[in-house]
Amino acid sequence: MEQYEPERLSAPQLAAMRRSLGGGRGALTRRSLLRASGTGALALGGLGVLSACGIPPAKREGDAAARDDHSATEKRINFSNWTEYMDVSEDEKSRPTLDAFTRRTGIKVKYTEDINDNVEFFGKIKPQLAAGQDTGRDLIIVTDWLAARIIRLGWAQKLDPANLPHAFANLSPQFRTPDWDPGRAYSYPWTGIPTVIAYNEKATGGRKVDSVTQLLDDPRLKGKVSFLSEMRDSVGMTLLDMGKDPGSFTDADFDAAVGRMQKGVDTKQIRRFTGNDYTADLSKGDIAACVAWAGDIIQLQADNPDIKFSIPSAGYITSSDNMLVPAGARHKTNAEKLMDHYYELPVAARLAAYINYVCPVDGVAGELAKIDESMASNTLILPDKAMAAKSRSFRSLSAEEETAYEEKFAKLIGA
């Protein structure tokens, strides 16, 4: 049997992972929205050991080997999710949308908040996945780059559309065709994660900031601009501003985007590259405008009316967290039914009202308005058609590209 040869971490990939876990997506709570970023991080924590021990994956490519599905006789699901990523009752003693599913179907859900970071969680489940064993989980939620890797390795089960009628019908168009799972054969998004431009209206003197060009070229913003230390977010936003598609860019395009930001560093237009720590400086006005994560902006706006956001006419970057059924899961059909449950409009609205993230369910606005009209009109939760049309995803990278790009980006930000 073919042995699994892991893609080992290069020095630039290690550096990017440490930045993310120390101050970027991986360092934040669920309420701060974001995730550790970068496919290279998957080799952390022992993938090399798997190869040394001669443990093969379920399959190197293609569909996961299907186990017997015990859904008909075992009315249960084991569901692993991130913390604060599920609605709770006011007394915090129940989870209404999960309870509604059990009442309707008779399927009990063992819900576990045991995902704090993609890399850490993958370290928990990779030995079983690589050995073709049941992980003890029927449904997991992971960020798009990790979902892509699990699918590519054959460690996710192909979904049965017959069990997902609401998901198929109600999935928002902007999430339908990721390059790592075209047509959503293996996954459905739990939520979207937008990268936008944010600014402190008081610090800009009342001026709107709505483009990367302004961030890099407006002399009135000099020294009060920040970009993110996550490569995909900052480079992706810059590529869009240059008229390039982050989903199909070339090496030359990447170099041009880095060069454009390098000019901003050299002229001191850019104050610094940040993780989530930009929020305090933006609120105080020490940073006037920045590339930001939308989840942070929703939180900041609750306390500071001067905090605004804008969607550049060139577009913005969106990543996603996604539901997968791991290879070897005992209750695939039950898991699919639960996935579909969260694409029913009233259920999707209840979840969106609690977690305040981009809802991937189309047509949910009416139901959400019944709960909170302000949420239903917030385009950071429910992008309108114009905003959704501007959403772009950063394309999947090969291991070689990951190493080369992270090395160049590390030099740019002085990491």
Side-chain angles (χ1 to χ4, degrees):
M1 182 177 290
E2 178 187 20
Q3 302 299 300
Y4 176 45
E5 293 298 334
E7 296 170 4
R8 299 178 184 277
L9 281 178
S10 65
Q13 289 170 330
L14 277 169
M17 179 272 294
R18 291 186 183 114
R19 286 197 308 273
S20 187
L21 296 180
R25 295 181 175 182
L28 308 185
T29 65
R30 280 293 353 142
R31 283 294 180 193
S32 292
L33 178 69
L34 305 156
R35 298 287 186 273
S37 167
T39 55
L42 293 179
L44 182 69
L47 281 182
V49 175
L50 293 181
S51 180
C53 294
I55 301 175
K59 283 183 71 177
R60 180 65 191 236
E61 302 283 351
D63 294 350
R67 292 292 182 90
D68 291 338
D69 187 355
H70 299 268
S71 294
T73 56
E74 299 176 1
K75 296 293 186 179
R76 61 179 181 267
I77 301 168
N78 295 319
F79 182 6
S80 284
N81 202 350
W82 299 74
T83 58
E84 298 186 67
Y85 224 13
M86 178 66 72
D87 58 299
V88 298
S89 61
E90 290 187 6
D91 61 9
E92 299 186 352
K93 293 182 179 180
S94 64
R95 301 188 181 278
T97 57
L98 285 178
D99 294 344
F101 174 77
T102 297
R103 286 195 301 270
R104 188 177 66 183
T105 65
I107 300 170
K108 295 181 178 180
V109 182
K110 181 182 178 182
Y111 183 76
T112 308
E113 294 179 319
D114 61 345
I115 307 179
N116 296 303
D117 169 74
N118 284 294
V119 177
E120 178 187 52
F121 180 66
F122 190 70
K124 293 179 182 179
I125 64 174
K126 69 182 184 293
Q128 294 98 327
L129 290 173
Q133 299 172 351
D134 182 7
T135 66
R137 298 167 175 86
D138 302 301
L139 188 64
I140 62 175
I141 294 180
V142 294
T143 305
D144 45 18
W145 60 265
L146 179 52
R149 184 64 61 87
I150 291 173
I151 292 169
R152 185 180 66 79
L153 291 170
W155 292 348
Q157 296 198 47
K158 194 169 186 178
L159 304 175
D160 183 352
N163 295 325
L164 295 156
H166 295 96
F168 181 81
N170 295 336
L171 176 61
S172 173
Q174 77 176 97
F175 294 102
R176 283 189 177 272
T177 56
D179 67 353
W180 46 270
D181 187 17
R184 293 289 182 178
Y186 296 89
S187 69
Y188 271 90
W190 182 255
T191 194
I193 307 171
T195 301
V196 299
I197 290 178
Y199 60 100
N200 184 318
E201 195 171 45
K202 185 176 181 180
T204 65
R207 298 189 311 279
K208 182 178 182 179
V209 181
D210 60 3
S211 71
V212 170
T213 292
Q214 278 180 275
L215 294 178
L216 292 174
D217 296 341
D218 188 342
R220 295 171 294 184
L221 297 176
K222 185 173 182 178
K224 290 192 172 185
V225 168
S226 69
F227 279 67
L228 294 169
S229 59
E230 300 282 356
M231 180 262 288
R232 286 167 176 78
D233 296 298
S234 288
V235 173
M237 292 291 282
T238 305
L239 284 167
L240 283 167
D241 192 71
M242 297 168 61
K244 303 296 183 180
D245 184 355
S248 59
F249 64 89
T250 65
D251 288 347
D253 294 334
F254 182 91
D255 290 345
V258 170
R260 190 163 184 219
M261 284 185 284
Q262 183 66 60
K263 182 180 177 181
V265 172
D266 295 342
T267 61
K268 302 191 184 318
Q269 178 79 6
I270 297 176
R271 183 185 185 97
R272 61 194 180 100
F273 289 82
T274 74
N276 63 303
D277 52 321
Y278 71 88
T279 55
D281 285 345
L282 179 64
S283 189
K284 290 186 296 184
D286 292 340
I287 290 175
C290 60
V291 175
W293 290 311
D296 292 332
I297 305 310
I298 294 175
Q299 296 173 59
L300 289 177
Q301 287 179 326
D303 298 319
N304 187 342
D306 292 324
I307 302 301
K308 310 293 183 182
F309 78 93
S310 61
I311 303 299
S313 59
Y316 66 102
I317 295 293
T318 301
S319 55
S320 60
D321 284 339
N322 307 275
M323 296 181 279
L324 295 175
V325 178
R330 288 178 60 88
H331 312 110
K332 176 176 177 286
T333 298
N334 291 346
E336 291 167 337
K337 290 179 179 179
L338 183 59
M339 293 169 71
D340 195 62
H341 174 68
Y342 281 98
Y343 275 78
E344 296 186 34
L345 300 186
V347 179
R350 180 66 183 258
L351 182 67
Y354 183 80
I355 65 175
N356 297 169
Y357 290 46
V358 170
C359 181
V361 182
D362 200 21
V364 77
E367 294 292 337
L368 187 55
K370 295 177 185 178
I371 301 170
D372 189 325
E373 289 186 3
S374 65
M375 288 185 181
S377 62
N378 189 333
T379 54
L380 293 181
I381 298 174
L382 292 183
D384 56 25
K385 289 184 178 180
M387 181 173 170
K390 295 179 180 178
S391 173
R392 298 290 183 272
S393 297
F394 200 93
R395 69 172 173 83
S396 300
L397 301 178
S398 67
E400 293 78 13
E401 287 176 324
E402 179 84 21
T403 295
Y405 292 169
E406 286 291 3
E407 183 173 12
K408 293 173 181 178
F409 189 70
K411 289 180 181 178
L412 167 70
I413 69 175

